[in-house]
Amino acid sequence: MRAIWGVVLSCTLATVVAGCNGLEYFREGIGSELYSSDAIGATENQEVYLGLICRQAGLPSIINADGTAYCDQGADWGLVVQAGMNDIDRRCDAYLAWLDDKRRSNEPILKELAAISASTLGILNATNAGVRAITITGIAFGLAANTFVNINSRLLSLEQSTIQSLVLDSQQRYRENIKGTKANNRPDAIYYLRGYLRICLPFSIETSVNNTVTVVHRAGPDALGRNEPLFTRVVITDPKQRFAIPGPGTQSKLPTRLTDNERLSTFTAAHIRRIQQSLCVKIDGDLGPAGSVTRRAIGDFLEAAGEKRSELVTDFVDNRLNEAIEAVPDCKKAGLVNASQVGARLK
Amino acid sequence: MTITSQDTFADVVLAKAALRRVLPEYLAAVAKIRSGISDGPAATGIGPFGIIQADWDAALADPDLSADPFKITRWRDQVSVFAIMTSKAQAALALKLKRNFSMEELYAEQFSNDSVNPLAQALQDIAPIITGALNRAQIEADPTILDSAGNLIGEGAGGILGELVGKIESKGDYNAFNRGTAGVSTGGPINLVSMTIGEIRA
C-alpha cells in the first residue's frame, strides 16, 4: 500500500512540477512557435504574428473584423524579416535574463536539497521554486532533486556570459549572413525568422556550447575563427550573371582531418559513419588520427579493391569509398566481417 | 558503377565543387548538356562530361592529378577531374579578363567549338537537384536545423556532438556530460560542465 502511495505521490509531483508556471522556459526556452496560442492553429498563428510585425514595421496590413491584423500580400518582406528579428531579439533577451535569474537562485536550492531532505517543502516554497503542494516521500524527494538537477545541468549550469556571448554572436552572424539575400514572399520571411528564432532555443545554445568545447579541445582556440557560410546561397540560373571564384568555404580544423578533402564541410560526421558502416568499423563518426582503426580499415579496403594502399581520404579515395557505400551500405547485413572483404567485392 | 540517381550525382558534384572552388551548378549544367547526366558513352565523348580520352590523358598529366589513378569510365572520377579542369579554366579566364566572369564565358572558354545557348536551359533544369544537394549538405552539417514546420530534421544536440563530447569525457555518452557527472573522480577526466569557455581557453 505504501508503495502505491509512493507512486501516486511521485506522479502527482511530476505532474505538478511539469505544470509549474515558467517551466515551459525550462523545456522550450522562448518557444519554437513564432506566436503561441493554443486556440489558433499554427498557420493562422503565423499570419497573426506576421500581421503584428507588419504593423510594427509600418507596412500595409489588413485589419479583420476581430481586430487581428494580416500582412498585405504586397508587403515588403525584407522589412518584415527585419522587424521580426527585432521582435525575436526582445524575446530572446527576456529569456536570457530569466536564465540568469534562475541560475543565480539555483545553487542555494540545490545545497539545501542535499542537506535537509525533510524540509524540502518549506525550502522550495521559501525560495519560490514554483513547486506547490509537494508532500514529499523519500521516492518523491529523489524525483524532485533529480528533476531539478537535470534542469540545472542543462543551461543553468553554464556561465551566463558564455550563453549570452554565444547567442548574441550567433544572432549577429545570422544577420550578416542574410544581408545579401532577399525575402521575396511570405515563406521566405517565415524561413528567415524561424532560423533566427532557432538561435535562442535551448538545444541550439547547448549545441553551440558543445561545438565550441569540442573544437577548442581538438584544435585549440584558433579553430574558433569565423568561416563564410558554404550552403546558404541561391543557385545561379542566369548564365550571363558574373560571379567571383568561390572562396574556400568552411573548413574543418579538427586535427584528425588530414587532407583537404577530409576538411571539407561536405565531409560530415554522417558521411564518416556511412563509411564505417560500409567497412565493418565501429560507427562513431570520427576518422581518428593517423593509424586509427577506421583509417587502417580504409587502407585494407583499398588494397583489397586493387588500389594503392592509403589511409588518407583524398578526392580519389573518397570516390572509392562512395562506391563502397553504394555497393555495401551495411557490412554486417551483407554478411561481411571486415573492410578487406568489402574491397574484394568491389574489385 | 552507374549513376543511380540525379541526387547522388548532385551530392558528388557539390563535394567536388567545394574542394576545387567551382560552382556546382556549372558542373551539373555541363553534364546536362553533354550527356544528359549519364555515364554511358556520350555523343561528345565518355561519361557525364563527355570527355575524350586525349583530353583526359592531358588533364591527368597535371601534377595535381597524376598521383591518383583516376579512370575515365568511373563517373565520380570524371566529376573530380572535370572540377579540376574547370578550376584551371576559371583561373585562366580571371587572368585574361581581369574581372569576374559569367558561366557563359567560362563555358565558351572550356568548349570553344560549342554554342553557349543550351546553358541557360541546362541551368534551369539542374537547379532543383543542386538546391536539393545544398539542402542535404546543410542538414548534415547543422545538427540543429529545423524544417519549415519547426520540426528538428538534423541530428539534434545529442547526435554526433554528443558522441564527441562523450568521448572527450571518456564516459561514453552525451547524457553523462549533460548531467555534469562526467569526471567527478579525482583520477577521472576533466568535468567540462562546470567550466566556462574562458577557463577552457586559458
Side-chain angles (χ1 to χ4, degrees):
Chain A
M1 196 61 179
R2 280 184 182 179
I4 294 170
W5 276 111
V7 171
V8 170
L9 283 170
S10 303
C11 293
T12 309
L13 177 60
T15 311
V16 169
V17 167
C20 282
N21 188 27
L23 278 182
E24 72 278 6
Y25 270 143
F26 276 124
R27 293 188 302 271
E28 300 166 23
I30 61 172
S32 61
E33 294 294 328
L34 290 174
Y35 179 90
S36 54
S37 166
D38 294 332
I40 312 172
T43 310
E44 202 175 337
N45 288 344
Q46 284 180 0
E47 292 283 7
V48 173
Y49 180 79
L50 287 176
L52 292 171
I53 295 302
C54 260
R55 290 181 72 181
Q56 278 183 27
L59 292 167
S61 50
I62 300 159
I63 310 292
N64 280 2
D66 61 359
T68 52
Y70 290 82
C71 270
D72 189 334
Q73 286 305 307
D76 182 336
W77 293 105
L79 280 179
V80 172
V81 170
Q82 281 184 32
M85 289 199 298
N86 291 342
D87 180 69
I88 291 167
D89 278 348
R90 185 178 55 78
R91 290 162 181 252
C92 194
D93 287 347
Y95 174 55
L96 294 179
W98 176 88
L99 267 180
D100 189 34
D101 179 56
K102 286 292 167 197
R103 191 183 62 80
R104 284 167 196 272
S105 59
N106 210 18
E107 202 173 341
I109 298 170
L110 284 173
K111 280 181 180 166
E112 290 297 336
L113 278 171
I116 329 166
S117 64
S119 310
T120 304
L121 173 62
I123 293 162
L124 288 175
N125 279 334
T127 52
N128 194 23
V131 184
R132 291 172 298 142
I134 301 176
T135 48
I136 284 277
T137 62
I139 300 167
F141 176 77
L143 177 60
N146 285 341
T147 304
F148 209 78
V149 170
N150 285 341
I151 294 167
N152 169 65
S153 68
R154 294 182 68 168
L155 293 182
L156 300 184
S157 63
L158 294 167
E159 184 65 35
Q160 179 64 13
S161 61
T162 304
I163 294 178
Q164 202 148 4
S165 62
L166 274 172
V167 170
L168 297 180
D169 189 47
S170 299
Q171 286 177 332
Q172 193 186 341
R173 281 197 213 185
Y174 189 92
R175 282 181 182 256
E176 282 171 9
N177 284 347
I178 67 165
K179 240 180 211 170
T181 54
K182 194 166 162 49
N184 293 314
N185 46 43
R186 185 176 171 279
D188 279 356
I190 292 283
Y191 176 81
Y192 289 130
L193 290 178
R194 272 196 184 284
Y196 196 65
L197 180 64
R198 181 156 56 94
I199 293 168
C200 205
L201 296 183
F203 70 83
S204 295
I205 300 171
E206 283 179 62
T207 303
S208 294
V209 173
N210 289 345
N211 243 333
T212 309
V213 169
T214 306
V215 171
V216 169
H217 260 256
R218 295 257 169 135
D222 291 345
L224 293 173
R226 289 186 182 194
N227 291 302
E228 60 184 275
L230 177 64
F231 306 124
T232 51
R233 70 173 186 85
V234 176
V235 172
I236 302 172
T237 53
D238 177 4
K240 293 184 188 304
Q241 183 182 327
R242 288 183 187 172
F243 62 94
I245 292 176
T250 308
Q251 303 274 315
S252 169
K253 290 180 180 167
L254 292 174
T256 52
R257 300 295 178 94
L258 304 177
T259 67
D260 286 346
N261 192 77
E262 291 173 12
R263 283 187 278 271
L264 284 177
S265 291
T266 48
F267 199 87
T268 59
H271 180 52
I272 296 171
R273 285 201 293 276
R274 285 192 289 270
I275 292 170
Q276 291 170 326
Q277 190 165 18
S278 173
L279 300 187
C280 308
V281 184
K282 186 189 169 199
I283 301 166
D284 63 4
D286 186 12
L287 274 179
S292 71
V293 173
T294 301
R295 289 188 184 277
R296 286 205 309 273
I298 290 169
D300 294 344
F301 158 75
L302 288 170
E303 230 166 36
E307 306 287 356
K308 193 174 137 192
R309 183 180 180 89
S310 169
E311 296 185 5
L312 301 175
V313 185
T314 60
D315 187 4
F316 174 80
V317 171
D318 204 19
N319 288 346
R320 303 289 79 78
L321 291 171
N322 274 315
E323 286 173 1
I325 292 166
E326 198 171 287
V328 185
D330 188 327
C331 168
K332 285 174 189 160
K333 280 186 186 163
L336 306 175
V337 293
N338 58 43
S340 296
Q341 290 186 350
V342 179
R345 186 171 280 199
L346 259 73
K347 195 170 182 181
Chain B
M1 294 237 175
T2 56
I3 299 174
T4 50
S5 76
Q6 297 221 336
D7 282 346
T8 306
F9 179 76
D11 290 340
V12 172
V13 159
L14 184 65
K16 306 305 177 191
L19 182 64
R20 305 299 177 189
R21 297 172 62 179
V22 298
L23 290 180
E25 52 265 59
Y26 176 76
L27 298 184
V30 171
K32 182 75 184 173
I33 293 169
R34 295 181 67 82
S35 72
I37 308 183
S38 155
D39 54 356
T44 51
I46 301 165
F49 296 97
I51 302 175
I52 60 171
Q53 190 68 49
D55 289 345
W56 181 266
D57 294 341
L60 287 189
D62 189 288
D64 282 354
L65 290 169
S66 56
D68 289 318
F70 288 106
K71 289 199 174 87
I72 193 169
T73 49
R74 287 170 166 166
W75 70 266
R76 287 185 176 85
D77 286 4
Q78 277 232 353
V79 181
S80 293
V81 173
F82 186 71
I84 290 190
M85 291 164 76
T86 303
S87 173
K88 289 181 186 302
Q90 277 187 168
L93 198 58
L95 207 62
K96 188 163 81 179
L97 299 176
K98 294 188 171 53
R99 60 165 170 78
N100 290 341
F101 47 83
S102 67
M103 283 189 265
E104 209 171 73
E105 289 170 316
L106 182 59
Y107 190 81
E109 176 79 8
Q110 283 195 286
F111 305 101
S112 52
N113 295 327
D114 294 0
S115 164
V116 295
N117 292 338
L119 193 56
Q121 185 57 51
L123 283 168
Q124 294 290 341
D125 292 344
I126 57 84
I129 62 166
I130 295 299
T131 303
L134 285 163
N135 289 339
R136 283 190 293 279
Q138 181 74 64
I139 290 167
E140 282 210 357
D142 181 356
T144 66
I145 197 164
L146 306 177
D147 65 13
S148 56
N151 301 313
L152 182 70
I153 51 176
E155 293 181 32
I160 185 59
L161 288 171
E163 287 171 24
L164 284 172
V165 172
K167 272 189 201 167
I168 292 169
E169 293 287 310
S170 307
K171 292 285 179 181
D173 70 289
Y174 175 76
N175 288 330
F177 169 80
N178 208 23
R179 285 194 299 271
T181 56
V184 288
S185 70
T186 49
I190 194 166
N191 182 356
L192 298 174
V193 149
S194 58
M195 293 178 73
T196 65
I197 301 299
E199 285 167 343
I200 292 166
R201 278 186 165 192

